[in-house]
Short mmCIF file of all heavy atoms in Angstrom, two decimals:
data_model
loop_
_atom_site.label_atom_id
_atom_site.label_comp_id
_atom_site.label_asym_id
_atom_site.label_seq_id
_atom_site.Cartn_x
_atom_site.Cartn_y
_atom_site.Cartn_z
N VAL A 49 35.07 53.45 -26.73
CA VAL A 49 33.96 52.87 -25.97
C VAL A 49 33.32 51.78 -26.81
O VAL A 49 33.01 51.98 -27.98
CB VAL A 49 32.92 53.94 -25.62
CG1 VAL A 49 31.70 53.31 -24.94
CG2 VAL A 49 33.53 55.02 -24.73
N ASP A 50 33.16 50.60 -26.23
CA ASP A 50 32.50 49.49 -26.93
C ASP A 50 30.99 49.63 -26.68
O ASP A 50 30.51 49.36 -25.59
CB ASP A 50 33.01 48.16 -26.38
CG ASP A 50 32.47 46.96 -27.15
OD1 ASP A 50 31.45 47.11 -27.86
OD2 ASP A 50 33.06 45.88 -27.03
N THR A 51 30.26 50.08 -27.68
CA THR A 51 28.84 50.35 -27.49
C THR A 51 28.03 49.08 -27.22
O THR A 51 26.94 49.15 -26.65
CB THR A 51 28.26 51.08 -28.71
OG1 THR A 51 28.52 50.32 -29.89
CG2 THR A 51 28.90 52.45 -28.86
N SER A 52 28.55 47.93 -27.62
CA SER A 52 27.83 46.69 -27.35
C SER A 52 28.09 46.16 -25.95
O SER A 52 27.27 45.45 -25.38
CB SER A 52 28.21 45.61 -28.37
OG SER A 52 29.60 45.29 -28.26
N MET A 53 29.24 46.51 -25.38
CA MET A 53 29.60 46.08 -24.02
C MET A 53 30.49 47.16 -23.40
O MET A 53 31.69 46.99 -23.25
CB MET A 53 30.32 44.73 -24.04
CG MET A 53 30.48 44.09 -22.67
SD MET A 53 31.41 42.53 -22.75
CE MET A 53 30.29 41.51 -23.72
N PRO A 54 29.89 48.30 -23.01
CA PRO A 54 30.71 49.42 -22.55
C PRO A 54 31.41 49.17 -21.22
O PRO A 54 32.47 49.74 -20.95
CB PRO A 54 29.71 50.56 -22.44
CG PRO A 54 28.40 49.89 -22.20
CD PRO A 54 28.45 48.62 -23.00
N ILE A 55 30.82 48.35 -20.37
CA ILE A 55 31.39 48.07 -19.06
C ILE A 55 31.55 46.56 -18.94
O ILE A 55 30.58 45.82 -19.00
CB ILE A 55 30.50 48.63 -17.94
CG1 ILE A 55 30.42 50.16 -18.08
CG2 ILE A 55 31.03 48.23 -16.57
CD1 ILE A 55 29.41 50.81 -17.19
N ARG A 56 32.77 46.13 -18.77
CA ARG A 56 33.09 44.71 -18.82
C ARG A 56 33.32 44.15 -17.42
O ARG A 56 34.03 44.74 -16.60
CB ARG A 56 34.32 44.46 -19.68
CG ARG A 56 34.10 44.85 -21.15
CD ARG A 56 35.37 44.73 -21.97
NE ARG A 56 35.06 44.98 -23.36
CZ ARG A 56 34.73 44.04 -24.24
NH1 ARG A 56 34.71 42.77 -23.86
NH2 ARG A 56 34.45 44.35 -25.49
N ALA A 57 32.74 42.98 -17.19
CA ALA A 57 32.92 42.33 -15.89
C ALA A 57 34.39 42.00 -15.64
O ALA A 57 34.88 42.12 -14.52
CB ALA A 57 32.07 41.06 -15.83
N ALA A 58 35.10 41.62 -16.71
CA ALA A 58 36.52 41.29 -16.54
C ALA A 58 37.31 42.50 -16.07
O ALA A 58 38.23 42.38 -15.26
CB ALA A 58 37.09 40.76 -17.86
N GLY A 59 36.96 43.67 -16.58
CA GLY A 59 37.64 44.88 -16.15
C GLY A 59 37.39 45.19 -14.69
O GLY A 59 38.29 45.61 -13.96
N ILE A 60 36.16 44.97 -14.23
CA ILE A 60 35.84 45.20 -12.82
C ILE A 60 36.56 44.19 -11.94
O ILE A 60 37.08 44.53 -10.87
CB ILE A 60 34.32 45.16 -12.60
CG1 ILE A 60 33.67 46.35 -13.32
CG2 ILE A 60 33.98 45.19 -11.11
CD1 ILE A 60 32.16 46.38 -13.22
N ARG A 61 36.60 42.93 -12.37
CA ARG A 61 37.36 41.93 -11.59
C ARG A 61 38.82 42.34 -11.46
O ARG A 61 39.43 42.19 -10.40
CB ARG A 61 37.26 40.55 -12.25
CG ARG A 61 35.97 39.80 -11.94
CD ARG A 61 36.13 38.31 -12.20
NE ARG A 61 36.64 38.03 -13.53
CZ ARG A 61 35.88 37.88 -14.62
NH1 ARG A 61 34.55 37.97 -14.50
NH2 ARG A 61 36.41 37.62 -15.79
N GLY A 62 39.39 42.85 -12.55
CA GLY A 62 40.77 43.33 -12.48
C GLY A 62 40.94 44.46 -11.49
O GLY A 62 41.92 44.52 -10.74
N GLN A 63 39.98 45.39 -11.48
CA GLN A 63 40.02 46.48 -10.52
C GLN A 63 39.91 45.95 -9.08
O GLN A 63 40.65 46.39 -8.19
CB GLN A 63 38.87 47.46 -10.79
CG GLN A 63 39.13 48.42 -11.93
CD GLN A 63 39.68 49.75 -11.41
OE1 GLN A 63 39.54 50.09 -10.24
NE2 GLN A 63 40.32 50.49 -12.30
N LEU A 64 39.00 45.01 -8.85
CA LEU A 64 38.84 44.46 -7.51
C LEU A 64 40.10 43.74 -7.06
O LEU A 64 40.49 43.82 -5.89
CB LEU A 64 37.65 43.51 -7.47
CG LEU A 64 36.27 44.13 -7.70
CD1 LEU A 64 35.19 43.06 -7.66
CD2 LEU A 64 35.99 45.22 -6.68
N ARG A 65 40.74 43.06 -7.99
CA ARG A 65 41.99 42.38 -7.66
C ARG A 65 43.07 43.40 -7.26
O ARG A 65 43.82 43.17 -6.30
CB ARG A 65 42.46 41.57 -8.87
CG ARG A 65 43.58 40.60 -8.59
CD ARG A 65 43.73 39.62 -9.74
NE ARG A 65 44.67 38.57 -9.44
CZ ARG A 65 44.63 37.36 -9.98
NH1 ARG A 65 43.69 37.05 -10.85
NH2 ARG A 65 45.53 36.45 -9.66
N PHE A 66 43.14 44.52 -7.99
CA PHE A 66 44.10 45.57 -7.64
C PHE A 66 43.83 46.11 -6.24
O PHE A 66 44.74 46.24 -5.43
CB PHE A 66 44.02 46.71 -8.67
CG PHE A 66 44.70 47.97 -8.22
CD1 PHE A 66 46.08 48.09 -8.34
CD2 PHE A 66 43.99 49.02 -7.67
CE1 PHE A 66 46.74 49.25 -7.92
CE2 PHE A 66 44.63 50.18 -7.25
CZ PHE A 66 46.01 50.29 -7.37
N TRP A 67 42.57 46.43 -5.96
CA TRP A 67 42.25 47.00 -4.66
C TRP A 67 42.42 45.97 -3.55
O TRP A 67 42.74 46.33 -2.41
CB TRP A 67 40.84 47.59 -4.67
CG TRP A 67 40.78 48.84 -5.49
CD1 TRP A 67 40.21 49.01 -6.72
CD2 TRP A 67 41.35 50.11 -5.14
NE1 TRP A 67 40.39 50.29 -7.17
CE2 TRP A 67 41.07 50.99 -6.22
CE3 TRP A 67 42.05 50.59 -4.04
CZ2 TRP A 67 41.50 52.32 -6.22
CZ3 TRP A 67 42.47 51.91 -4.04
CH2 TRP A 67 42.19 52.76 -5.11
N TRP A 68 42.22 44.69 -3.84
CA TRP A 68 42.49 43.66 -2.84
C TRP A 68 43.95 43.70 -2.42
O TRP A 68 44.27 43.59 -1.23
CB TRP A 68 42.14 42.28 -3.40
CG TRP A 68 42.47 41.18 -2.44
CD1 TRP A 68 41.67 40.68 -1.45
CD2 TRP A 68 43.71 40.45 -2.36
NE1 TRP A 68 42.33 39.70 -0.76
CE2 TRP A 68 43.58 39.54 -1.30
CE3 TRP A 68 44.90 40.49 -3.08
CZ2 TRP A 68 44.61 38.67 -0.94
CZ3 TRP A 68 45.92 39.64 -2.72
CH2 TRP A 68 45.78 38.73 -1.66
N ARG A 69 44.88 43.88 -3.38
CA ARG A 69 46.30 43.95 -3.03
C ARG A 69 46.58 45.12 -2.10
O ARG A 69 47.46 45.05 -1.24
CB ARG A 69 47.16 44.08 -4.30
CG ARG A 69 47.10 42.87 -5.22
CD ARG A 69 48.11 43.04 -6.34
NE ARG A 69 47.89 42.05 -7.41
CZ ARG A 69 47.54 42.35 -8.64
NH1 ARG A 69 47.37 43.63 -8.98
NH2 ARG A 69 47.37 41.41 -9.55
N ILE A 70 45.82 46.19 -2.28
CA ILE A 70 46.01 47.37 -1.44
C ILE A 70 45.56 47.10 -0.01
O ILE A 70 46.24 47.48 0.96
CB ILE A 70 45.22 48.57 -2.02
CG1 ILE A 70 45.79 48.99 -3.38
CG2 ILE A 70 45.21 49.75 -1.03
CD1 ILE A 70 47.15 49.59 -3.34
N VAL A 71 44.41 46.44 0.16
CA VAL A 71 43.79 46.35 1.48
C VAL A 71 44.07 45.04 2.21
O VAL A 71 43.80 44.95 3.42
CB VAL A 71 42.26 46.56 1.39
CG1 VAL A 71 41.95 47.90 0.76
CG2 VAL A 71 41.59 45.43 0.58
N ALA A 72 44.60 44.03 1.53
CA ALA A 72 44.76 42.72 2.18
C ALA A 72 46.12 42.55 2.84
O ALA A 72 46.33 41.57 3.55
CB ALA A 72 44.55 41.59 1.16
N GLY A 73 47.03 43.49 2.64
CA GLY A 73 48.35 43.38 3.21
C GLY A 73 48.39 43.81 4.67
O GLY A 73 47.35 44.05 5.29
N PRO A 74 49.58 43.90 5.24
CA PRO A 74 50.87 43.64 4.58
C PRO A 74 51.14 42.14 4.41
O PRO A 74 50.57 41.33 5.14
CB PRO A 74 51.89 44.28 5.52
CG PRO A 74 51.24 44.20 6.87
CD PRO A 74 49.76 44.37 6.63
N PHE A 75 51.99 41.84 3.45
CA PHE A 75 52.32 40.46 3.15
C PHE A 75 53.76 40.18 3.58
O PHE A 75 54.62 41.05 3.52
CB PHE A 75 52.17 40.18 1.65
CG PHE A 75 50.79 40.49 1.12
CD1 PHE A 75 50.52 41.70 0.49
CD2 PHE A 75 49.76 39.59 1.27
CE1 PHE A 75 49.26 41.99 0.00
CE2 PHE A 75 48.49 39.87 0.79
CZ PHE A 75 48.24 41.08 0.15
#
Side-chain angles (χ1 to χ4, degrees):
V49 175
D50 186 341
T51 56
S52 63
M53 191 183 295
I55 298 171
R56 296 174 175 268
I60 293 177
R61 280 200 307 272
Q63 280 265 340
L64 295 179
R65 192 166 188 153
F66 166 80
W67 289 107
W68 177 87
R69 295 187 192 116
I70 294 292
V71 302
F75 303 97

